[in-house]
Amino acid sequence: MPTDGPVRVRFAPSPTGYLHIGGARTALFNWLVARGSGGRFVLRIEDTDRKRNVADSLAKILDDLRWLGLNWDEGPEVGGEFGPYMQSERLETYNRHCEQLLKAGEAYYTFETPAELQARREQARKEKRVAIYQRPDPLPTAEDAVRARAEGRPVVVRFKMPDEDITVSDMILGEVTLKREELEDFVIRKSDGWPTYHFACVVDDELMKITHVLRGQEHVMNTPKHIALQRALGFAMPQYAHMPIIMNMDGSKMSKRDKERALAQGEPPPEIDVHDFRAAGYLPEAVVNFIALLGWSPGGDREQMTTEELTDLFSVERINKTAAKFDRDKLLAFNTDWLSRVSAARRLAALRDFCEVTGSPLGQAHDDTLLTLMQASQGIRTFAQLDGKSRFIFVPDEQIRFDEKAVKKVLRKNDGEGLRVLADLLPRLEGLPDWTAEAIEGLLRGVCEETGLGLGKVAQPIRVAVSGGTISPTIFDTLVLLGRERTLTRIRRALEQLS
């Protein structure tokens, strides 16, 4: 990535909610470019679309980036010599450059209403013409704009696109040319006085000395507009790299609407935002590793890599042109492997974070208890799975609800065989001298030998009695974690309610 000075890249989200996983991939690729080249990673918040901004979204985005480990060198809460990094605080700068274009004849005022613009588009469709904005002749003057504003009409500023084709030299896609007839004069300042995305983006990239712009392929059609603005303003042109979009496995675009559709159909919503994966109990190391491979490959069939290894291996030249597919099964496999790879201390810290984010009752437990719990739950795939199979340990005894299918299958089957096992085990457990996993295992296996029942026939009734269902960590560790008195209380309660 040749450049005259240090590499400077930026990630520029809009504060409209949690960080989308596609945005996280964009942030990661930019971060890797900066870290791998010794450059700077700039975080800029594009919040000039006042109608779309959502309260507290900035805090959520910053939190998501920190969870992923993508620290920024310049931006909100960090500062930097080219700030402010909130576009809403840069209005004077945008207005100054807008006036520059107006004075140079590179931009002009217009004041059509939305209804008038829609009517023009409808007419173009009827005449089978491309529905692009037709530049007025003569151009409206500043005085015309004053009168229009006084009449209550929406006054905007449009940029005059040059009368020529524009070619984008893209580091991934190669040469991409848009014909002049496809390019219309576009709005750079809206009627509310705020700049559009296109204008603010170009001004900020110049003033923040951005050298490389890595973003999704959905922006390819925007780039000729940005190049035309750069030329008119006398700005340097950064190097562009448009990354492949992320698709679902069925080929549909992965978007936040997937959650809306699932909820409308009464189905569990899929994870789409970074926060979704955090709340589902994924490790950030696994998520970063996985999204790095969405459209990029280090070669050699290598897949599982630490952030340090990704930094050493990453290059824009190895980013693919074709769309990437989000394989959730593969991510789950990645997370399972990562959970088994990281240290116990790291697993504990990540579990604590999960409990804090979700409010899981596991968060009430001491560190030693959680470490024992994870040891007793080898092979878990996510912390949500761990929570689902063990939260019963940390709730009050009276809150245990018995699953009807479990009761029927385990306790009442064969004329109440499971209930008889429980009744037989209760006094034995009451008299057990040592309440340890080894002692409990010895007792249960002794009962198996005495009665001729398999361990499942003995352990499952206890599991249903203490958890309400058929899933838990290993039964011996479960009873130790519950403790003698709580175990006995729950067994008695099950016998009283279900016999």
Side-chain angles (χ1 to χ4, degrees), residues 201-377:
C201 170
V202 167
V203 171
D204 287 346
D205 283 349
E206 168 71 13
L207 299 185
M208 294 179 185
K209 301 187 181 301
I210 301 302
T211 61
H212 297 77
V213 174
L214 279 73
R215 57 190 181 190
Q217 285 181 9
E218 63 268 23
H219 288 285
V220 169
M221 300 298 287
N222 295 330
T223 305
K225 299 176 182 179
H226 299 178
I227 291 174
L229 276 171
Q230 289 157 0
R231 291 171 179 170
L233 289 164
F235 289 170
M237 186 189 306
Q239 295 184 50
Y240 287 99
H242 289 93
M243 302 175 293
I245 60 176
I246 300 174
M247 312 290 284
N248 292 311
M249 292 302 288
D250 63 5
S252 62
K253 186 175 180 181
M254 187 179 179
S255 73
K256 295 187 179 184
R257 293 188 183 88
D258 292 345
K259 288 201 286 187
E260 297 172 3
R261 283 193 291 268
L263 289 171
Q265 296 169 6
E267 300 173 354
E271 298 94 351
I272 299 293
D273 299 319
V274 169
H275 183 79
D276 297 336
F277 293 96
R278 186 179 184 183
Y282 285 83
L283 282 173
E285 293 92 331
V287 174
V288 166
N289 186 174
F290 178 76
I291 63 176
L293 298 174
L294 295 177
W296 172 81
S297 168
D301 294 327
R302 188 173 183 178
E303 288 195 321
Q304 295 195 10
M305 292 162 281
T306 64
T307 304
E308 291 75 18
E309 290 170 325
L310 288 171
T311 302
D312 292 338
L313 293 167
F314 187 82
S315 67
V316 174
E317 290 73 20
R318 294 196 67 90
I319 297 177
N320 302 327
K321 296 181 182 180
T322 55
K325 289 194 174 182
F326 198 96
D327 187 340
R328 295 174 183 278
D329 291 338
K330 186 172 183 177
L331 172 58
L332 195 57
F334 266 43
N335 200 66
T336 306
D337 290 342
W338 270 97
L339 279 170
S340 66
R341 288 174 56 187
V342 299
S343 67
R346 174 65 193 120
R347 279 197 301 275
L348 178 62
L351 177 56
R352 285 287 183 201
D353 177 78
F354 166 80
C355 293
E356 182 178 349
V357 167
T358 61
S360 166
L362 275 64
Q364 305 166 15
H366 295 296
D367 287 354
D368 289 345
T369 300
L370 291 180
L371 288 169
T372 301
L373 178 62
M374 286 189 285
Q375 184 64 33
S377 304

Side-chain angles (χ1 to χ4, degrees), residues 383-494:
F383 290 130
Q385 184 184 29
L386 177 67
D387 175 84
K389 71 188 298 185
S390 60
R391 67 165 36 218
F392 69 89
I393 298 172
F394 305 97
V395 301
D397 299 334
E398 63 273 13
Q399 290 185 12
I400 297 299
R401 298 291 179 267
F402 300 105
D403 178 75
E404 291 183 9
K405 291 182 179 179
V407 170
K408 182 178 180 180
K409 179 180 179 181
V410 176
L411 298 181
R412 289 183 171 147
K413 190 176 180 181
N414 296 331
D415 197 26
E417 180 183 63
L419 289 168
R420 290 195 298 275
V421 169
L422 272 183
D424 178 58
L425 281 170
L426 181 57
R428 299 176 189 245
L429 290 168
E430 289 173 335
L432 189 65
D434 298 317
W435 199 260
T436 63
E438 294 77 12
I440 294 170
E441 181 176 3
L443 171 64
L444 297 189
R445 293 194 183 279
V447 170
C448 291
E449 291 180 9
E450 178 184 324
T451 61
L453 295 173
L455 183 61
K457 294 281 188 177
V458 175
Q460 276 297 77
I462 303 175
R463 182 170 280 118
V464 174
V466 300
S467 73
T470 57
I471 298 174
S472 78
T474 58
I475 194 64
F476 318 119
D477 291 302
T478 294
L479 300 193
V480 170
L481 288 167
L482 266 175
R484 182 195 299 270
E485 291 308 315
R486 296 184 69 203
T487 297
L488 298 177
T489 296
R490 292 189 183 194
I491 291 176
R492 294 186 190 110
R493 181 170 175 265

Side-chain angles (χ1 to χ4, degrees), residues 88-108:
S88 57
E89 299 174 11
R90 301 173 62 84
L91 187 58
E92 183 181 345
T93 298
Y94 306 134
N95 283 336
R96 184 171 69 251
H97 287 87
C98 186
E99 293 303 319
Q100 176 185 333
L101 292 175
L102 285 166
K103 289 178 181 177
E106 299 282 1
Y108 57 93

Side-chain angles (χ1 to χ4, degrees), residues 61-98:
I61 290 170
L62 301 186
D63 200 32
D64 288 341
L65 288 171
R66 289 194 181 101
W67 182 72
L68 292 170
L70 304 182
N71 55 309
W72 51 100
D73 303 304
E74 301 172 28
E77 300 184 0
V78 173
E81 61 179 311
F82 303 111
Y85 295 91
M86 302 285 294
Q87 287 189 335
S88 57
E89 299 174 11
R90 301 173 62 84
L91 187 58
E92 183 181 345
T93 298
Y94 306 134
N95 283 336
R96 184 171 69 251
H97 287 87
C98 186

